[in-house]
C-alpha cells in the first residue's frame, strides 16, 4: 500500500519544480549562447574529438596568417624588382634615344632619374622593414643616393648593406620555400652599368650637346650591360612571381581546410536553434505546470479529505 501525505506530495512537487527550472535554465543558456555547452565537460564523449579538431584548426590558422604576411612581402618584393627592371629599361632607352638623335643634352638627367628609381626599388619596405636587406631588415639595402656615389665608394659591394641571410617560410608542415631576395644580388650588375657612365663622365667630362664619335662608341658599348641587367631582373621577378603563386594557392587551400573544420566543430558545439527553441518552450510549460500543481497543493490538505 502506497503511503500518501501532504509533506510527501510537497517534496515530490518541489523536486519536480526545481528540476523543471534547472532544465529551463540549461536550454535557455543554449539558446542565448547558441552553443551546446560552455566547457568540454558539457560535450561528454565528443570532448576528445573536439579538442583534436580545435588544435588542428589553430595550427592551420597559424599557417594561414603566415601565408598572408608572406604574400604581402612577396607583393612588395615584386614591386621593388619591377622598379629596378624599369630603371634598367629607362636607362637603356635614354642612351638609345641619345644615340639616335646624336645629342646627349638631357642624357645625364635621365640617367640620374633612372638611378634614383633603382635606389628606391632596392630600398622597398613591407610593414616597415626593408625587404631586400636579409636579416638586417631594419637597415636600408643601399646607401647610394646618386650616381656620384658609385665612383666615390671603394667598390660597388660596399654600397649594399644587406647580409647574406635568405628568408625561408613554411607553406605547411612539410613544405619550406626560400622567399627572400638580396639587394646585392639584384642591384650589383645594374649599379655597375651606371658606374661605367659615371666613371666616363669623371674622366672625360659631362655629356653636353651633340655626341662625339668617342662618346657614341662608349654609349653603344653600354647597351649590352643594361640589357643583361634587365634580363636578370626579369628572371628574378619571375621567380618571385612563382613564390607568390604558391603562397596564394596555399592560402586558398588552408582557408578551405579551416572552413571545413569550422563546419565540423560547429556540428559538435552549435545548437540546432529550431530544436532548442522548441525544447525551451516545452521546458517553460513544464515549469508552469509544476508551479501550478505546487500552488494547488498549498490550497489543499489531507486533513480536508479526512474531514
Amino acid at each position: 500500500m502506497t503511503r500518501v501525505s501532504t509533506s510527501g506530495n510537497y517534496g515530490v512537487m518541489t523536486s519536480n519544480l526545481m528540476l523543471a527550472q534547472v532544465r529551463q535554465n540549461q536550454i535557455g543558456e543554449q539558446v542565448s549562447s547558441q552553443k551546446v555547452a560552455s566547457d568540454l565537460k558539457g560535450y561528454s564523449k565528443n570532448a576528445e574529438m573536439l579538442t583534436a579538431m580545435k588544435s588542428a584548426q589553430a595550427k592551420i590558422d597559424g599557417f594561414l596568417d603566415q601565408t598572408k604576411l608572406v604574400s604581402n612581402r612577396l607583393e612588395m618584393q615584386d614591386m621593388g624588382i619591377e622598379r629596378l627592371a624599369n630603371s634598367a629599361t629607362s636607362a637603356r632607352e635614354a642612351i638609345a634615344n641619345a644615340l639616335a638623335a646624336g645629342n646627349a643634352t638631357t642624357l645625364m638627367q635621365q640617367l640620374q632619374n633612372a638611378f634614383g628609381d633603382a635606389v628606391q626599388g632596392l630600398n622597398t619596405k613591407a610593414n616597415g622593414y626593408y625587404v631586400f636587406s636579409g636579416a638586417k631588415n631594419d637597415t636600408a639595402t643601399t646607401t647610394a643616393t646618386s650616381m656620384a656615389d658609385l665612383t666615390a665608394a671603394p667598390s660597388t659591394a660596399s654600397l649594399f648593406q644587406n647580409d647574406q641571410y635568405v628568408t625561408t617560410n613554411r607553406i605547411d608542415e612539410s613544405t619550406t620555400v626560400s622567399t627572400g631576395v638580396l639587394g646585392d644580388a639584384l642591384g650589383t650588375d645594374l649599379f655597375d652599368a651606371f658606374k661605367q657612365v659615371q666613371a666616363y663622365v669623371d674622366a672625360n667630362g659631362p655629356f653636353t650637346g651633340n655626341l662625339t664619335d668617342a662618346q657614341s662608341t662608349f654609349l653603344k658599348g653600354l647597351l649590352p650591360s643594361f640589357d643583361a641587367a634587365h634580363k636578370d631582373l626579369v628572371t628574378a621577378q619571375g621567380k618571385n612571381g612563382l613564390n607568390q603563386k604558391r603562397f596564394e594557392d596555399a592560402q586558398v587551400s588552408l582557408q578551405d581546410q579551416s572552413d571545413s573544420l569550422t563546419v565540423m566543430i560547429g556540428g559538435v558545439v552549435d545548437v540546432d536553434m529550431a530544436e532548442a527553441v522548441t525544447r525551451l518552450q516545452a521546458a517553460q510549460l513544464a515549469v508552469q505546470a509544476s508551479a501550478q500543481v505546487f500552488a494547488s497543493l498549498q490550497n489543499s490538505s489531507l486533513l480536508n479529505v479526512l474531514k
Side-chain angles (χ1 to χ4, degrees):
M1 180 175 178
T2 302
R3 185 178 179 181
V4 179
S5 67
T6 300
S7 62
N9 287 338
Y10 269 120
V12 172
M13 294 314 301
T14 300
S15 177
N16 288 341
L17 179 59
M18 292 177 64
L19 289 174
Q21 289 176 328
V22 169
R23 182 64 175 164
Q24 176 183 267
N25 290 338
Q26 289 176 339
I27 300 175
E29 289 178 0
Q30 290 180 347
V31 171
S32 61
S33 67
Q34 299 184 16
K35 302 296 180 184
V36 173
S38 59
D39 53 35
L40 288 176
K41 183 173 64 176
Y43 295 103
S44 185
K45 63 181 180 181
N46 292 322
E48 186 175 347
M49 178 180 65
L50 182 60
T51 301
M53 287 193 296
K54 282 186 172 292
S55 176
Q57 187 177 48
K59 186 177 294 185
I60 289 172
D61 287 345
F63 282 124
L64 184 58
D65 290 340
Q66 177 178 275
T67 57
K68 290 178 180 178
L69 290 174
V70 174
S71 294
N72 178 62
R73 179 165 57 80
L74 289 172
E75 183 177 356
M76 296 307 297
Q77 286 181 182
D78 178 76
M79 293 174 62
I81 298 172
E82 183 174 12
R83 193 159 194 172
L84 281 163
N86 289 340
S87 167
T89 299
S90 296
R92 203 255 187 219
E93 289 179 350
I95 293 171
N97 290 337
L99 287 169
N103 188 285
T105 302
T106 62
L107 176 61
M108 287 306 296
Q109 181 181 351
Q110 291 175 299
L111 291 178
Q112 288 285 5
N113 291 338
F115 183 75
D117 286 341
V119 169
Q120 291 183 40
L122 286 168
N123 288 334
T124 297
K125 288 183 177 183
N127 298 319
Y129 296 102
Y130 295 94
V131 298
F132 300 127
S133 291
K136 297 169 63 177
N137 54 22
D138 58 346
T139 303
T141 306
T142 180
T143 56
T145 57
S146 68
M147 289 176 60
D149 295 331
L150 297 172
T151 52
S155 65
T156 302
S158 67
L159 294 171
F160 294 95
Q161 304 304 305
N162 61 275
D163 58 19
Q164 295 305 303
Y165 174 77
V166 178
T167 303
T168 59
N169 296 101
R170 294 175 66 185
I171 294 179
D172 51 38
E173 291 187 5
S174 60
T175 308
T176 301
V177 179
S178 295
T179 57
V181 184
L182 300 178
D184 57 351
L186 290 174
T188 296
D189 289 346
L190 184 59
F191 272 26
D192 283 341
F194 280 109
K195 186 176 182 178
Q196 292 181 58
V197 179
Q198 187 62 43
Y200 184 90
V201 170
D202 290 347
N204 301 286
F207 292 95
T208 56
N210 294 330
L211 292 172
T212 65
D213 291 341
Q215 289 175 330
S216 295
T217 300
F218 169 74
L219 291 176
K220 288 178 183 178
L222 281 178
L223 295 178
S225 296
F226 282 102
D227 286 338
H230 179 265
K231 181 180 178 181
D232 290 343
L233 289 166
V234 170
T235 299
Q237 188 177 19
K239 291 179 179 179
N240 187 78
L242 289 175
N243 283 335
Q244 281 184 283
K245 178 62 176 174
R246 292 186 70 176
F247 276 86
E248 286 173 2
D249 291 344
Q251 189 172 329
V252 172
S253 176
L254 289 168
Q255 186 64 63
D256 288 343
Q257 293 178 52
S258 180
D259 291 344
S260 296
L261 280 170
T262 297
V263 172
M264 292 171 66
I265 292 171
V268 176
V269 304
D270 292 343
V271 169
D272 183 333
M273 290 302 294
E275 179 189 359
V277 170
T278 300
R279 287 189 291 115
L280 179 59
Q281 291 173 345
Q284 290 170 340
L285 287 174
V287 170
Q288 292 171 5
S290 296
Q292 187 174 358
V293 172
F294 185 81
S296 298
L297 281 176
Q298 287 181 317
N299 297 323
S300 65
S301 170
L302 286 176
L303 291 177
N304 298 331
V305 175
L306 293 174
K307 289 178 181 179

